Amino acid sequence: MSAPTPRIGIIGTGAIGGFYGVMLARAGYGVHFLLRSEYEAVTRNGLRINSAVHGSLHLETVQAYRNAADMPPCDWLLVGAKSTSNPELAPLIIEAAGEDAKVVVLQNGLGIEDDLRQLLPGYIHLLGGLCFICAHRSALGVVEHQALGGVNLGYHSGSAETPAQQQAVVQEGVAMFRAAGVDSSAAVNLAQARWQKLVWNMPYNGLSVLLNAGTAPMMADPHSRALVRSIMLEACGAAAACGHPLPEVLVDRMMTSTDHMPDYLPSMFHDHAHGRAMELDAIYAAPLAAAAKAGFAMPRTEALYQALRFIAARADR
């Protein structure tokens, strides 16, 4: 007799939650989507992914919910909402979580699992999910997927006490994503993996807002390209100072891969353009505080952060 298929819940059905939720549903998993502003559009038209990798994907019948309390108990919960809303997300996660639930935080930044852990009961497994994907939402229930799509998973905390138990949970999640056609692997060191993703996120997210530009023009101009590299190097230095050294070739590898990507506007650009809060705390404030505590200065990153705070304050007026 085969094992029962896990029930998956999506908390935050934007670009990230929408993409991975549709991929998992198409693979035969029971996927349940928590929706707010998109509920009417999605129940009427379904979820659509316009993917440069997988073609046009349309999930016509969506198991959609307005309230987490109405969702069935889920074995896995994928949190695709932005870290700016985590305090409000915790009660929703608890309502939708089944017994022995695994929660995967598909968010950018540093320290997000630590903060969320304090708001969740100890029995819930908390994992970090690092998405390497170029995607954005173009309309209600519509996601534009330009490139990539892999997810690395790392265990943070929960009722799995031994390394073997924690690894078993991670491998279960990896197998689930792979079955859905999504490249996935285990992150040996979650904190190090978070810093590695920040090496890309810190320059491109903030500079896209400051310069009003996507990755292609940033990489084509020698001045902005040099600034990108300098911020990447600061992030690598901070990671090493915090006890998580990264490969020496990482910066060159990331810049080369970005050169070969289609022009991409990162999530922070879209958040700012649509009047949403930018993830400044998770992507900038937390890493800068960690670096300062370790005695490592990040002057260029600090300047970018201060400029973004000014932009955010003006937008709030």
Side-chain angles (χ1 to χ4, degrees), residues 267-287:
S267 60
M268 191 170 287
F269 178 93
H270 293 284
D271 288 339
H272 175 62
H274 291 91
R276 299 187 293 260
M278 296 184 285
E279 295 181 286
L280 300 184
D281 288 345
I283 296 179
Y284 294 102

Side-chain angles (χ1 to χ4, degrees), residues 242-262:
C242 292
H244 305 294
L246 300 172
E248 292 183 4
V249 299
L250 180 63
V251 170
D252 287 336
R253 192 169 66 208
M254 282 190 170
M255 294 194 72
T256 298
S257 66
T258 307
D259 280 330
H260 291 91
M261 278 171 40

Side-chain angles (χ1 to χ4, degrees), residues 11 34 36 65-72 91-97:
I11 307 293
L34 181 64
R36 292 295 175 85
Y65 305 83
R66 287 187 188 274
N67 302 300
D70 297 330
M71 297 173 71
L92 307 180
I93 291 170
I94 295 169
E95 286 183 315

